[in-house]
Amino acid sequence: MRIDIITCLPKLLDSFFGYSILQRAQQAGHAEVLVHDLRDYTADKHRRVDDYPFGGGAGMVMQIEPIANCIRKLQAERTYDDVIYMTPDGERLAQPLVNRLSLAQNLIILCGHYKGVDERVREQFITREISIGDYVLSGGELAAAVLSDALIRLIPGVLGDETSALTDSFQDGLLAPPIYTRPANFEGWTIPDVLLSGHEAKIDDWRHEQALARTRARRPDLLGE
Ligand code: 6GU
């Protein structure tokens, strides 16, 4: 999967993708994340990418010209499955949408800033608008990082254990059950006996019960309750 992120704050994203699983995924060739500085695509001599809103009002608006230049250059080089705009008024991100998008080959993600982008960008270039929750961030960069992380870890081969993404919270519509590791007894705090039983079917049953109980207690909405 190739992800092209368009932003006016590239430094904010460079460090994020340089670490941990995301870096390994890129080094192993599973994913490629390219961060594009919007200021490289403006003809403005001060490299400005925003301007005052027509009709007045507070806040600046991201201009269409540098965004159009950048998206058109990328689209001339390859075909994109989606051109995504990160915005608080987009579709709320949840695991089913992540799963669907993880099948894409090439994605463009545009990060909004200031008051947002000129509406013509949304009308002419954007195929999908995504929000990461009902709160407002100062820019779309963190949201783009969240989306990219959620996508890249689903690419086969990225996680060490091929099955581990399947046992995530939300993948089966339930929260994940409790997990434990050594020691089995820490200062008298022990772990459930069933996990030491070696009985795989019983362990699976226990985990499912725990997942259900936890989901019912914390997120009854996931069970339709
Ligand atoms: Cl995608 N952008 C911004 N600026 N704020 C948000 C968001 C996105 N999702 C939730 N809050």
Side-chain angles (χ1 to χ4, degrees):
M1 174 184 292
R2 174 182 166 124
I3 303 177
D4 290 273
I5 303 181
I6 304 172
T7 170
C8 45
L9 285 173
K11 284 198 185 124
L12 207 58
L13 290 167
D14 285 341
S15 63
F16 180 79
F17 290 105
Y19 290 97
S20 177
I21 287 176
L22 297 186
Q23 186 186 36
R24 258 186 287 133
Q26 292 190 75
Q27 285 168 346
H30 296 302
E32 202 178 351
V33 179
L34 296 108
V35 179
H36 304 277
D37 186 346
L38 206 46
R39 294 180 205 281
D40 292 340
Y41 293 86
T42 173
D44 181 76
K45 61 178 186 289
H46 299 109
R47 307 226 307 155
R48 286 201 31 197
V49 294
D50 63 327
D51 209 334
Y52 296 97
F54 278 125
M60 303 298 277
V61 180
M62 287 171 69
Q63 294 171 283
I64 190 170
E65 193 181 331
I67 296 171
N69 288 342
C70 187
I71 291 176
R72 283 179 173 146
K73 174 179 176 283
L74 292 170
Q75 286 181 326
E77 293 164 353
R78 67 197 63 74
T79 301
Y80 285 89
D81 299 272
D82 265 309
V83 182
I84 299 167
Y85 174 47
M86 302 309 299
T87 176
D89 58 4
E91 177 182 357
R92 177 109 65 86
L93 186 64
Q95 196 64 45
L97 177 55
V98 176
N99 293 350
R100 258 185 286 137
L101 286 174
S102 74
L103 303 175
Q105 279 305 306
N106 301 306
L107 293 173
I108 292 175
I109 304 179
L110 172 66
C111 303
H113 240 270
Y114 316 110
K115 272 285 159 199
V117 300
D118 187 303
E119 186 66 19
R120 291 167 292 184
V121 169
R122 301 169 76 155
E123 293 167 356
Q124 302 296 332
F125 293 105
I126 299 301
T127 62
R128 191 183 281 282
E129 302 187 330
I130 297 177
S131 161
I132 63 163
D134 291 344
Y135 44 83
V136 180
L137 303 168
S138 58
E141 285 75 15
L142 287 175
V146 166
L147 174 60
S148 301
D149 183 302
L151 289 172
I152 290 169
R153 63 188 293 286
L154 290 187
I155 298 171
V158 167
L159 296 185
D161 178 350
E162 286 279 358
T163 63
S164 65
L166 297 175
T167 58
D168 287 343
S169 278
F170 297 112
Q171 274 306 8
D172 54 4
L174 297 177
L175 303 184
I179 52 170
Y180 302 87
T181 188
R182 285 180 290 195
N185 184 335
F186 176 74
E187 299 177 0
W189 298 330
T190 56
I191 71 168
D193 288 336
V194 63
L195 297 177
L196 298 169
S197 69
H199 196 305
E200 215 172 302
K202 274 191 189 155
I203 293 171
D204 283 348
D205 285 348
W206 180 84
R207 287 188 170 140
H208 185 68
E209 275 165 33
Q210 292 288 316
L212 260 179
R214 185 165 275 193
T215 306
R216 189 164 288 126
R218 299 183 182 189
R219 291 293 304 276
D221 57 298
L222 294 176
L223 299 172
E225 290 175 3

